[in-house]
Amino acid sequence: MGILHTGCYPQIDVQTTHVEPTGKAGKLCIAQCRQANMVCESTREMSLQSCRSQELTRAQAEYRSYLYSLPRDMNKKKIKTFSDFDRKPNCESNLPCFLYYRDCFKSCGGRIEEQRFCVADCHLMTPPVPNGTALGPKTTL
């Protein structure tokens, strides 16, 4: 497996533009999409915070159990510390709020356009192009 090094490959950036519908109904629909997206993001964040809290509670319980298991004369000579039990939690949310918003936005008559740009090390492309060059036409999602 190779390691990706900066400067070995062109760096591509994708700029996304949301083009709202012009009608009043479309704009109202988009506002509802934004509100639903805020609720989704809040739910996602609460889920992540809950996971982190549960992991911290678990670590505290394991550390307390460890301390109680030590012989009385070793209490002052702990071999492990709390950080040995406080592993980085593997908390992820599978709520794809951005996908829901994108679909909602499009269903309201909105259009989402993407444009790819080469932003660095573009001389490594075939053919070489200057940094900041647009790559291909805009695509509509």
Side-chain angles (χ1 to χ4, degrees), residues 32-83:
Q32 291 171 341
C33 293
R34 285 190 184 110
Q35 189 172 18
N37 188 55
M38 286 180 7
V39 169
C40 184
E41 289 292 344
S42 293
T43 301
R44 187 176 165 276
E45 185 58 33
M46 284 175 31
S47 171
L48 291 171
Q49 287 177 6
S50 174
C51 174
R52 291 178 189 125
S53 176
Q54 289 171 4
E55 284 298 309
L56 182 60
T57 300
R58 179 211 44 80
Q60 289 170 336
E62 287 181 8
Y63 183 60
R64 264 187 259 118
S65 177
Y66 163 73
L67 290 176
Y68 289 132
S69 73
L70 292 175
R72 293 230 180 240
D73 59 337
M74 280 193 65
N75 271 339
K76 293 185 173 124
K77 273 186 133 175
K78 298 177 199 92
I79 297 170
K80 294 182 181 180
T81 66
F82 176 74
S83 62

Side-chain angles (χ1 to χ4, degrees), residues 1 23 46 114 123 134 140:
M1 177 188 286
M46 284 175 31
E114 285 187 347
H123 64 280
T140 301

Side-chain angles (χ1 to χ4, degrees), residues 69-100:
S69 73
L70 292 175
R72 293 230 180 240
D73 59 337
M74 280 193 65
N75 271 339
K76 293 185 173 124
K77 273 186 133 175
K78 298 177 199 92
I79 297 170
K80 294 182 181 180
T81 66
F82 176 74
S83 62
D84 293 315
F85 297 89
D86 188 22
R87 299 179 289 275
K88 295 287 181 200
N90 188 16
C91 297
E92 295 179 14
S93 172
N94 59 357
L95 263 178
C97 299
F98 72 97
L99 291 176
Y100 296 150

Side-chain angles (χ1 to χ4, degrees), residues 114-134:
E114 285 187 347
Q115 177 68 60
R116 294 172 13 119
F117 291 90
C118 184
V119 293
D121 297 321
C122 304
H123 64 280
L124 299 172
M125 294 187 74
T126 305
V129 296
N131 289 351
T133 300

